[in-house]
Amino acid sequence: LVKQLKQQIPKLLLYDATSAFCDHDKCYGKKNNIIYGDSHHLNIEGSKLLMDDFKRFLDSFQSVNGSRS
């Protein structure tokens, strides 16, 4: 599905949050501190971790494609 969407919409940006919580071997419920408030929801620490990772994603895209609009 993702490959089809990218073919249909070449400028489509897809963010994979896996990098915020996982390394190449496994995913974690804790990085320095516990990052989940319950079995399905991030707590404040997890939200900050995700936000920082998403900012890096946006910054890397913007540095390749020029300044912000």
Side-chain angles (χ1 to χ4, degrees):
L1 178 63
V2 172
K3 286 182 182 181
Q4 286 177 324
L5 284 172
K6 283 294 281 180
Q7 288 174 344
Q8 293 172 359
I9 310 167
K11 292 186 177 187
L12 178 67
L13 295 178
L14 297 173
Y15 169 70
D16 182 359
T18 305
S19 62
F21 307 109
C22 307
D23 61 22
H24 64 280
D25 290 324
K26 54 182 148 177
C27 296
Y28 301 92
K30 180 178 180 179
K31 276 191 156 184
N32 298 328
N33 294 310
I34 295 172
I35 59 176
Y36 289 96
D38 60 31
S39 63
H40 293 90
H41 299 93
L42 296 171
N43 64 12
I44 296 294
E45 286 294 321
S47 297
K48 288 178 182 177
L49 194 64
L50 182 62
M51 179 182 68
D52 291 342
D53 190 65
F54 188 66
K55 280 181 174 179
R56 278 190 295 277
F57 167 76
L58 290 177
D59 288 344
S60 70
F61 171 74
Q62 291 168 351
S63 67
V64 169
N65 292 296
S67 61
R68 296 180 182 179
S69 307

Coordinates of all heavy atoms in Angstrom, one line a residue:
L1 N 0.8 -1.2 0.0 CA 0.0 0.0 0.0 C 0.9 1.3 0.0 O 0.6 2.2 -0.7 CB -1.0 0.0 1.2 CG -1.9 1.2 1.3 CD1 -2.8 1.4 0.2 CD2 -2.6 1.2 2.6
V2 N 1.9 1.3 0.8 CA 2.8 2.4 0.9 C 3.5 2.7 -0.4 O 3.5 3.8 -0.9 CB 3.8 2.3 2.1 CG1 4.8 3.4 2.1 CG2 3.1 2.3 3.4
K3 N 4.0 1.6 -1.0 CA 4.7 1.8 -2.3 C 3.7 2.3 -3.3 O 4.1 3.1 -4.2 CB 5.3 0.4 -2.7 CG 6.5 0.0 -1.9 CD 7.0 -1.3 -2.4 CE 8.2 -1.7 -1.6 NZ 8.8 -2.9 -2.1
Q4 N 2.5 1.8 -3.3 CA 1.5 2.3 -4.3 C 1.2 3.8 -4.1 O 1.1 4.6 -5.1 CB 0.2 1.5 -4.2 CG 0.2 0.2 -4.7 CD -1.1 -0.6 -4.5 OE1 -1.8 -0.4 -3.4 NE2 -1.5 -1.4 -5.4
L5 N 1.1 4.2 -2.9 CA 0.8 5.6 -2.6 C 2.0 6.5 -3.0 O 1.8 7.6 -3.6 CB 0.6 5.8 -1.1 CG -0.8 5.4 -0.6 CD1 -0.8 5.5 1.0 CD2 -1.9 6.3 -1.2
K6 N 3.2 6.0 -2.8 CA 4.4 6.8 -3.2 C 4.5 6.9 -4.7 O 4.9 7.9 -5.2 CB 5.7 6.2 -2.6 CG 5.9 6.4 -1.2 CD 6.2 7.8 -0.9 CE 7.6 8.3 -1.2 NZ 7.9 9.7 -0.8
Q7 N 4.1 5.9 -5.4 CA 4.0 5.9 -6.9 C 3.0 6.9 -7.4 O 3.2 7.6 -8.3 CB 3.8 4.5 -7.4 CG 5.0 3.6 -7.3 CD 4.7 2.2 -7.7 OE1 3.5 1.8 -7.9 NE2 5.7 1.4 -7.9
Q8 N 1.8 6.9 -6.7 CA 0.8 7.8 -7.1 C 1.0 9.2 -6.7 O 0.6 10.2 -7.4 CB -0.6 7.3 -6.5 CG -1.0 6.0 -7.1 CD -2.2 5.4 -6.4 OE1 -2.7 6.0 -5.4 NE2 -2.7 4.3 -6.8
I9 N 1.7 9.4 -5.6 CA 1.9 10.8 -5.1 C 3.4 10.9 -4.7 O 3.8 10.7 -3.6 CB 1.0 11.0 -3.8 CG1 -0.4 10.6 -4.1 CG2 1.2 12.5 -3.3 CD1 -1.3 10.6 -2.8
P10 N 4.2 11.2 -5.7 CA 5.7 11.2 -5.5 C 6.2 12.1 -4.4 O 7.2 11.8 -3.7 CB 6.3 11.6 -6.8 CG 5.2 11.3 -7.8 CD 3.9 11.4 -7.1
K11 N 5.5 13.2 -4.1 CA 5.9 14.2 -3.1 C 5.4 13.8 -1.7 O 5.6 14.5 -0.8 CB 5.4 15.6 -3.5 CG 6.2 16.1 -4.7 CD 5.8 17.5 -5.0 CE 6.6 18.0 -6.1 NZ 6.4 19.5 -6.3
L12 N 4.7 12.7 -1.6 CA 4.1 12.3 -0.3 C 5.3 12.0 0.7 O 6.2 11.3 0.3 CB 3.3 11.0 -0.5 CG 2.7 10.4 0.7 CD1 1.6 11.3 1.3 CD2 2.1 9.0 0.4
L13 N 5.2 12.6 1.9 CA 6.2 12.3 2.9 C 5.6 11.3 3.9 O 4.4 11.4 4.3 CB 6.5 13.6 3.7 CG 7.2 14.7 3.0 CD1 7.3 15.9 3.9 CD2 8.5 14.2 2.4
L14 N 6.3 10.3 4.2 CA 5.9 9.3 5.2 C 6.9 9.2 6.3 O 8.1 9.1 6.2 CB 5.8 7.9 4.5 CG 4.8 7.8 3.4 CD1 5.0 6.4 2.7 CD2 3.4 7.9 3.9
Y15 N 6.3 9.4 7.5 CA 7.1 9.4 8.7 C 6.9 8.0 9.4 O 5.8 7.6 9.7 CB 6.7 10.5 9.7 CG 7.3 10.4 11.0 CD1 8.7 10.6 11.2 CD2 6.5 10.1 12.1 CE1 9.3 10.4 12.5 CE2 7.1 10.0 13.4 CZ 8.5 10.2 13.6 OH 9.0 10.0 14.8
D16 N 8.0 7.3 9.7 CA 7.9 6.1 10.4 C 8.5 6.3 11.8 O 9.7 6.6 12.0 CB 8.8 5.0 9.7 CG 8.7 3.7 10.4 OD1 8.1 3.5 11.4 OD2 9.4 2.8 9.8
A17 N 7.6 6.2 12.8 CA 8.0 6.5 14.2 C 8.8 5.4 14.8 O 9.3 5.6 16.0 CB 6.7 6.7 15.1
T18 N 9.1 4.3 14.1 CA 9.8 3.2 14.7 C 11.2 3.7 15.1 O 11.7 3.2 16.2 CB 10.0 2.1 13.6 OG1 8.7 1.7 13.1 CG2 10.7 0.9 14.1
S19 N 11.8 4.6 14.4 CA 13.2 5.0 14.8 C 13.2 5.7 16.2 O 14.2 5.7 16.8 CB 13.8 5.9 13.7 OG 13.0 7.1 13.6
A20 N 12.1 6.2 16.6 CA 12.1 6.9 17.9 C 12.1 5.9 19.1 O 12.6 6.2 20.2 CB 10.8 7.8 18.0
F21 N 11.6 4.7 18.8 CA 11.4 3.7 19.9 C 12.1 2.4 19.7 O 12.1 1.6 20.6 CB 9.9 3.4 20.1 CG 9.1 4.7 20.3 CD1 8.2 5.1 19.3 CD2 9.2 5.5 21.4 CE1 7.5 6.3 19.4 CE2 8.5 6.6 21.6 CZ 7.6 7.0 20.6
C22 N 12.7 2.2 18.6 CA 13.3 0.9 18.2 C 14.8 1.1 17.7 O 15.1 2.1 17.1 CB 12.5 0.2 17.2 SG 10.8 0.0 17.5
D23 N 15.6 0.1 17.9 CA 16.9 0.0 17.2 C 16.8 -1.1 16.2 O 15.6 -1.5 15.9 CB 18.0 -0.2 18.2 CG 17.9 -1.5 19.0 OD1 17.3 -2.4 18.5 OD2 18.6 -1.6 20.1
H24 N 17.8 -1.5 15.6 CA 17.8 -2.5 14.6 C 17.3 -3.9 15.1 O 17.0 -4.7 14.2 CB 19.1 -2.6 13.8 CG 20.2 -3.0 14.6 ND1 20.9 -2.2 15.4 CD2 20.8 -4.2 14.7 CE1 21.9 -2.8 16.0 NE2 21.9 -4.1 15.6
D25 N 17.4 -4.1 16.4 CA 17.0 -5.4 16.9 C 15.6 -5.5 17.6 O 14.9 -6.5 17.4 CB 18.0 -5.9 17.9 CG 19.4 -6.2 17.3 OD1 19.4 -6.8 16.2 OD2 20.4 -5.9 17.9
K26 N 15.3 -4.5 18.3 CA 14.0 -4.5 19.1 C 13.5 -3.2 19.4 O 14.2 -2.2 19.3 CB 14.1 -5.4 20.3 CG 15.2 -5.0 21.2 CD 15.3 -6.0 22.4 CE 16.7 -6.1 22.9 NZ 16.8 -7.0 24.1
C27 N 12.3 -3.1 19.9 CA 11.6 -1.9 20.3 C 11.5 -1.9 21.8 O 11.5 -3.0 22.5 CB 10.2 -1.8 19.7 SG 10.2 -1.7 17.9
Y28 N 11.5 -0.7 22.4 CA 11.6 -0.6 23.8 C 10.4 0.2 24.4 O 9.9 1.1 23.8 CB 12.9 0.2 24.2 CG 14.1 -0.5 23.7 CD1 14.6 -0.2 22.5 CD2 14.7 -1.5 24.5 CE1 15.8 -0.8 22.0 CE2 15.8 -2.1 24.0 CZ 16.3 -1.8 22.8 OH 17.4 -2.4 22.3
G29 N 10.0 -0.2 25.6 CA 9.0 0.6 26.4 C 9.6 1.6 27.3 O 9.0 2.3 28.1
K30 N 11.0 1.6 27.3 CA 11.7 2.5 28.2 C 13.0 2.9 27.4 O 13.7 2.1 26.8 CB 12.1 1.7 29.4 CG 12.9 2.5 30.4 CD 13.1 1.6 31.7 CE 13.9 2.4 32.7 NZ 14.2 1.7 33.9
K31 N 13.3 4.2 27.4 CA 14.5 4.8 27.0 C 14.9 5.8 28.0 O 14.3 6.9 28.0 CB 14.3 5.4 25.6 CG 14.5 4.4 24.4 CD 14.5 5.2 23.1 CE 15.2 4.4 22.1 NZ 15.4 5.1 20.9
N32 N 15.8 5.6 28.8 CA 16.2 6.4 30.0 C 15.0 6.4 31.0 O 15.3 6.2 32.2 CB 16.5 7.8 29.6 CG 17.8 7.9 28.7 OD1 18.7 7.0 28.8 ND2 17.8 8.8 27.8
N33 N 13.8 6.7 30.6 CA 12.6 6.7 31.4 C 11.6 5.8 30.8 O 11.6 5.6 29.6 CB 12.1 8.1 31.7 CG 13.1 8.9 32.5 OD1 13.6 8.5 33.5 ND2 13.4 10.1 32.0
I34 N 10.6 5.5 31.5 CA 9.4 4.8 30.9 C 8.7 5.7 29.9 O 8.5 6.9 30.2 CB 8.4 4.3 32.0 CG1 9.1 3.2 32.8 CG2 7.1 3.8 31.4 CD1 8.4 2.8 34.1
I35 N 8.4 5.2 28.8 CA 7.8 6.1 27.7 C 6.3 5.9 27.5 O 5.7 6.6 26.6 CB 8.6 6.1 26.4 CG1 8.6 4.7 25.9 CG2 10.0 6.6 26.6 CD1 9.4 4.5 24.5
Y36 N 5.7 4.9 28.1 CA 4.3 4.6 27.9 C 3.5 4.9 29.2 O 4.0 4.5 30.3 CB 4.1 3.2 27.5 CG 4.5 3.0 26.1 CD1 5.8 2.4 25.8 CD2 3.7 3.3 25.0 CE1 6.2 2.2 24.5 CE2 4.1 3.1 23.7 CZ 5.4 2.6 23.4 OH 5.8 2.4 22.1
G37 N 2.3 5.5 29.1 CA 1.5 5.7 30.2 C 0.6 4.5 30.5 O 0.3 4.2 31.6
D38 N 0.3 3.7 29.4 CA -0.4 2.4 29.6 C 0.0 1.6 28.4 O 1.0 1.9 27.7 CB -1.9 2.6 29.7 CG -2.5 3.3 28.4 OD1 -2.0 3.2 27.3 OD2 -3.5 4.0 28.6
S39 N -0.7 0.5 28.1 CA -0.2 -0.4 27.0 C -0.4 0.1 25.6 O 0.2 -0.4 24.7 CB -1.0 -1.7 27.1 OG -2.4 -1.5 26.9
H40 N -1.0 1.3 25.4 CA -1.3 1.8 24.1 C -0.9 3.3 23.9 O -1.0 3.8 22.8 CB -2.7 1.6 23.7 CG -3.1 0.2 23.5 ND1 -3.6 -0.6 24.5 CD2 -3.0 -0.7 22.4 CE1 -3.8 -1.8 24.1 NE2 -3.4 -1.9 22.8
H41 N -0.6 4.0 25.0 CA -0.5 5.4 24.9 C 0.9 5.9 25.5 O 1.3 5.4 26.5 CB -1.6 6.1 25.7 CG -2.9 5.8 25.1 ND1 -3.7 4.7 25.6 CD2 -3.6 6.3 24.1 CE1 -4.8 4.7 24.9 NE2 -4.8 5.6 24.0
L42 N 1.5 6.8 24.8 CA 2.7 7.4 25.3 C 2.4 8.3 26.5 O 1.4 9.0 26.5 CB 3.4 8.3 24.2 CG 3.8 7.5 22.9 CD1 4.2 8.5 21.8 CD2 4.9 6.6 23.3
N43 N 3.4 8.4 27.4 CA 3.3 9.4 28.4 C 4.1 10.7 27.9 O 4.4 10.8 26.8 CB 3.9 8.9 29.7 CG 5.4 8.5 29.7 OD1 6.1 8.9 28.7 ND2 5.9 7.8 30.6
I44 N 4.3 11.6 28.8 CA 5.0 12.9 28.4 C 6.4 12.6 27.9 O 6.8 13.1 26.8 CB 5.1 13.9 29.6 CG1 3.7 14.3 30.0 CG2 5.9 15.1 29.3 CD1 2.9 15.1 29.0
E45 N 7.1 11.7 28.5 CA 8.5 11.4 28.1 C 8.5 10.8 26.7 O 9.3 11.1 25.8 CB 9.2 10.4 29.1 CG 9.6 11.1 30.3 CD 10.7 12.1 30.1 OE1 11.6 11.9 29.3 OE2 10.7 13.1 30.8
G46 N 7.5 9.9 26.5 CA 7.4 9.2 25.1 C 7.0 10.2 24.1 O 7.5 10.2 22.9
S47 N 6.1 11.2 24.4 CA 5.7 12.2 23.5 C 6.8 13.1 23.1 O 7.0 13.5 21.9 CB 4.5 13.0 24.1 OG 3.4 12.2 24.4
K48 N 7.7 13.5 24.1 CA 8.8 14.3 23.8 C 9.8 13.6 22.9 O 10.4 14.2 21.9 CB 9.5 14.7 25.1 CG 8.7 15.7 25.9 CD 9.4 16.1 27.2 CE 8.7 17.1 28.0 NZ 9.3 17.3 29.3
L49 N 10.0 12.3 23.1 CA 10.9 11.5 22.3 C 10.4 11.4 20.9 O 11.1 11.6 19.9 CB 11.0 10.1 22.9 CG 12.0 9.1 22.4 CD1 13.4 9.7 22.8 CD2 11.8 7.8 23.0
L50 N 9.1 11.2 20.7 CA 8.5 11.2 19.4 C 8.6 12.6 18.7 O 8.9 12.7 17.5 CB 7.0 10.8 19.5 CG 6.2 10.6 18.2 CD1 6.9 9.6 17.3 CD2 4.8 10.3 18.5
M51 N 8.3 13.6 19.5 CA 8.4 15.0 18.9 C 9.8 15.3 18.4 O 10.0 15.8 17.3 CB 8.0 16.0 20.0 CG 8.0 17.4 19.5 SD 7.6 18.6 20.7 CE 8.9 18.5 21.9
D52 N 10.8 14.9 19.2 CA 12.2 15.2 18.8 C 12.5 14.4 17.5 O 13.2 14.9 16.6 CB 13.1 14.8 19.9 CG 13.1 15.8 21.1 OD1 12.5 16.9 21.0 OD2 13.5 15.4 22.2
D53 N 12.1 13.2 17.4 CA 12.4 12.4 16.3 C 11.7 12.9 15.0 O 12.2 13.0 14.0 CB 11.9 10.9 16.5 CG 12.4 10.0 15.4 OD1 13.6 9.8 15.3 OD2 11.6 9.4 14.7
F54 N 10.4 13.4 15.2 CA 9.7 13.9 14.1 C 10.3 15.3 13.6 O 10.3 15.5 12.4 CB 8.2 14.1 14.5 CG 7.3 14.5 13.4 CD1 7.1 13.7 12.3 CD2 6.7 15.8 13.3 CE1 6.2 14.1 11.3 CE2 5.9 16.2 12.3 CZ 5.7 15.3 11.2
K55 N 10.8 16.1 14.6 CA 11.5 17.3 14.2 C 12.7 17.0 13.3 O 13.0 17.7 12.4 CB 11.9 18.1 15.4 CG 10.8 18.9 16.1 CD 11.4 19.6 17.3 CE 10.4 20.6 17.9 NZ 11.0 21.2 19.1
R56 N 13.5 16.0 13.7 CA 14.6 15.6 12.9 C 14.2 15.2 11.5 O 14.9 15.5 10.6 CB 15.4 14.5 13.6 CG 16.3 14.9 14.7 CD 17.2 13.8 15.2 NE 16.5 12.7 15.9 CZ 16.1 12.8 17.2 NH1 16.4 13.8 17.9 NH2 15.5 11.7 17.7
F57 N 13.1 14.4 11.5 CA 12.6 14.0 10.1 C 12.3 15.2 9.3 O 12.7 15.3 8.1 CB 11.4 13.1 10.3 CG 10.6 12.9 9.1 CD1 11.0 12.0 8.1 CD2 9.4 13.6 8.9 CE1 10.2 11.8 7.0 CE2 8.6 13.4 7.7 CZ 9.0 12.5 6.8
L58 N 11.6 16.2 9.8 CA 11.2 17.4 9.1 C 12.4 18.2 8.7 O 12.5 18.7 7.6 CB 10.2 18.2 9.9 CG 8.8 17.7 10.1 CD1 8.0 18.6 10.9 CD2 8.1 17.5 8.7
D59 N 13.3 18.3 9.7 CA 14.6 19.1 9.4 C 15.4 18.5 8.3 O 15.9 19.2 7.4 CB 15.4 19.2 10.7 CG 14.8 20.2 11.7 OD1 13.9 21.0 11.3 OD2 15.2 20.1 12.8
S60 N 15.5 17.1 8.3 CA 16.3 16.5 7.2 C 15.6 16.6 5.9 O 16.3 16.8 4.9 CB 16.4 15.0 7.6 OG 15.2 14.3 7.5
F61 N 14.3 16.6 5.8 CA 13.6 16.8 4.6 C 13.8 18.2 4.1 O 14.0 18.5 2.9 CB 12.1 16.5 4.8 CG 11.3 16.9 3.6 CD1 11.3 16.2 2.4 CD2 10.5 18.0 3.6 CE1 10.6 16.5 1.3 CE2 9.8 18.4 2.5 CZ 9.8 17.7 1.3
Q62 N 13.7 19.2 5.0 CA 13.8 20.6 4.6 C 15.2 20.9 4.2 O 15.4 21.7 3.3 CB 13.3 21.5 5.8 CG 11.8 21.4 6.0 CD 11.4 22.0 7.3 OE1 12.2 22.4 8.1 NE2 10.1 22.1 7.5
S63 N 16.2 20.3 4.8 CA 17.6 20.6 4.4 C 17.8 20.1 3.0 O 18.7 20.7 2.2 CB 18.6 20.0 5.4 OG 18.5 18.6 5.4
V64 N 17.2 19.0 2.6 CA 17.3 18.5 1.2 C 16.6 19.3 0.2 O 17.0 19.5 -0.9 CB 16.9 17.0 1.2 CG1 16.8 16.5 -0.2 CG2 17.8 16.1 2.0
N65 N 15.4 19.8 0.6 CA 14.5 20.4 -0.3 C 14.4 21.9 -0.2 O 13.4 22.5 -0.7 CB 13.1 19.8 -0.2 CG 13.1 18.4 -0.7 OD1 13.3 18.1 -1.9 ND2 12.9 17.4 0.2
G66 N 15.3 22.5 0.5 CA 15.2 24.0 0.7 C 14.6 24.4 2.0 O 14.2 23.6 2.8
S67 N 14.4 25.7 2.1 CA 13.9 26.3 3.4 C 12.4 26.1 3.5 O 11.7 25.7 2.6 CB 14.2 27.8 3.4 OG 13.6 28.4 2.4
R68 N 11.9 26.4 4.7 CA 10.5 26.2 5.0 C 9.7 27.2 4.2 O 10.1 28.3 3.9 CB 10.2 26.4 6.5 CG 10.9 25.4 7.3 CD 10.6 25.7 8.8 NE 11.3 24.7 9.6 CZ 11.3 24.6 10.9 NH1 10.6 25.5 11.6 NH2 12.0 23.7 11.5
S69 N 8.5 26.8 3.9 CA 7.6 27.7 3.1 C 6.6 28.4 4.1 O 6.3 27.9 5.1 CB 6.7 26.8 2.2 OG 7.5 26.0 1.4

